[in-house]
Amino acid sequence: PGGEQYTVEGVFRPVRDEEDDVVSLIISDREITEQKEYERELEQTNALLSTLFDTLPVGVLAEDEQRNVVAVNEQMFELFDLPGSPDEIRGTDCAQLATDISDMFADSEAFVDRIDELIAGQKPVYNEELELADGQTYARSYHPIELSEGDGHLWVYRDITARKTRET
């Protein structure tokens, strides 16, 4: 009556007789305007976050409580020279991934052990320096996160070799 528009979801159910002919319809509906508006806002937020995630100048990896990859960006692939693509690695075991790339680090065993320590401690760590076997230096940050299906872990890696060289 006031000129407002609503979004309505309707369901039509046929009622059939003994010969399976439709003799009437049961129609039910419900107003879902707020739900649809929330969904549009969520889609916009997801698009924005996805763009930010993909364009960050650092490697980012999120894993779930079981240590499976939830999300990873292209920069992580570049830093660690990983094969494949972010889409292909989703769902894989992060513990195995860490072991697979550990030989890149000056102390490969300490690299994997420290990951386990950080996960067990559940305390954020910022810009922890890691020396690679080839002389490069990466900084790693760790953040425990909450996911819709439980806890998770967010890892951020960046190459700080140029900065370390200037400092030296």
Side-chain angles (χ1 to χ4, degrees):
E4 295 180 47
Q5 292 190 6
Y6 296 94
T7 303
V8 178
E9 177 180 69
V11 177
F12 298 85
R13 292 183 194 94
V15 177
R16 300 181 181 274
D17 63 12
E18 297 81 31
E19 285 90 41
D20 204 31
D21 293 327
V22 176
V23 293
S24 65
L25 291 174
I26 298 175
I27 302 171
S28 61
D29 63 19
R30 64 184 177 115
E31 193 255 319
I32 58 167
T33 305
E34 287 182 21
Q35 176 184 340
K36 285 297 183 185
E37 186 174 312
Y38 174 76
E39 288 173 3
R40 277 191 294 276
E41 289 173 6
L42 192 58
E43 285 176 13
Q44 288 176 342
T45 300
N46 284 342
L48 174 63
L49 291 175
S50 178
T51 300
L52 287 172
F53 185 79
D54 291 338
T55 59
L56 286 171
V58 295
V60 182
L61 182 141
E63 62 182 0
D64 63 19
E65 201 164 18
Q66 290 75 40
R67 307 254 355 250
N68 296 312
V69 175
V70 174
V72 61
N73 67 1
E74 191 66 43
Q75 291 76 353
M76 188 69 122
F77 276 74
E78 291 172 13
L79 281 172
F80 292 102
D81 196 28
L82 296 171
S85 71
D87 289 335
E88 294 171 345
I89 203 169
R90 278 192 196 100
T92 61
D93 180 14
C94 279
Q96 184 60 53
L97 181 61
T99 300
D100 291 347
I101 64 169
S102 66
D103 59 350
M104 289 179 63
F105 294 89
D107 188 343
S108 59
E109 191 174 312
F111 172 75
V112 174
D113 291 344
R114 181 65 176 146
I115 289 172
D116 294 337
E117 277 178 43
L118 292 171
I119 289 172
Q122 293 287 302
K123 300 276 190 251
V125 172
Y126 302 96
N127 298 317
E128 181 176 68
E129 293 186 10
L130 304 168
E131 188 175 327
L132 277 71
D134 66 3
Q136 292 185 80
T137 305
Y138 286 0
R140 169 177 57 202
S141 295
Y142 163 75
H143 307 271
I145 57 174
E146 289 182 36
L147 300 169
S148 60
E149 297 179 8
D151 293 332
H153 315 282
L154 181 70
W155 302 94
V156 178
Y157 288 86
R158 62 188 173 98
D159 187 343
I160 59 169
T161 305
R163 188 192 85 201
K164 295 299 287 181
T165 302
R166 282 191 308 273
E167 288 174 0
T168 302

